[in-house]
Amino acid sequence: MKTLLLQIFTWWNGQTLGTRFHTWRHGKRVGEDALGNVYYEGGSDSEGRTRRWVIYNGPSEASAIPPGWHGWMHHRTDVSPASETYAAKTWEQAHQLNLTGTGGAYRPKGSILNQGARPHVTGDYDAWTPKS
């Protein structure tokens, strides 16, 4: 029941009622990735292409779509990773969650939120002053 209420009143938790209805009416399940996101296609978009969408496993986070599925979602390929033996390239890194706004966010040296000491200024910088 809690999941249904979240889907009714929020757009960032899984799917909205509109997406649920569209998926039920037009959606054909294409596949699922390792993170549990489920991919669908069906109907046509404004450019006449087959409409493609994802229902996230958890909060809607666009960076949670793996590279192979990203190419399929954006019509860069007509073959989904579920339909072929897709293997990640050697240079591809594993997915990392977007930690912006959390305690695990990147905080460079000199940041107010960083616990370390601010780096010492070397003196190679002259502050700008008007009419100088």
Side-chain angles (χ1 to χ4, degrees):
M1 181 67 164
K2 182 180 177 183
T3 304
L4 180 62
L5 290 174
L6 281 173
Q7 290 177 2
I8 291 172
F9 294 108
T10 62
W11 58 265
W12 57 87
N13 287 302
Q15 58 184 320
T16 62
L17 289 178
T19 303
R20 181 180 290 228
F21 179 72
H22 185 78
T23 302
W24 170 74
R25 189 157 181 227
H26 301 288
K28 177 185 141 208
R29 185 183 168 124
V30 176
E32 185 174 336
D33 64 21
L35 299 172
N37 301 323
V38 182
Y39 299 87
Y40 294 91
E41 69 180 352
S44 300
D45 65 8
S46 60
E47 296 176 13
R49 300 178 300 188
T50 303
R51 205 169 161 208
R52 297 174 177 171
W53 66 96
V54 60
I55 296 180
Y56 295 98
N57 179 21
S60 297
E61 173 61 49
S63 71
I65 297 177
W69 283 105
H70 182 271
W72 178 81
M73 288 281 295
H74 294 279
H75 296 277
R76 298 221 164 72
T77 179
D78 290 330
V79 181
S80 73
S83 301
E84 65 179 5
T85 54
Y86 176 79
K89 307 290 187 214
T90 57
W91 46 265
E92 289 180 13
Q93 295 181 354
H95 176 263
Q96 282 185 306
L97 291 175
N98 183 354
L99 299 176
T100 303
T102 69
Y106 173 69
R107 295 185 172 102
K109 291 181 180 178
S111 170
I112 295 173
L113 299 175
N114 192 343
Q115 299 298 325
R118 188 174 178 146
H120 181 68
V121 178
T122 61
D124 60 350
Y125 170 78
D126 293 325
W128 176 83
T129 55
K131 298 182 183 179
S132 61

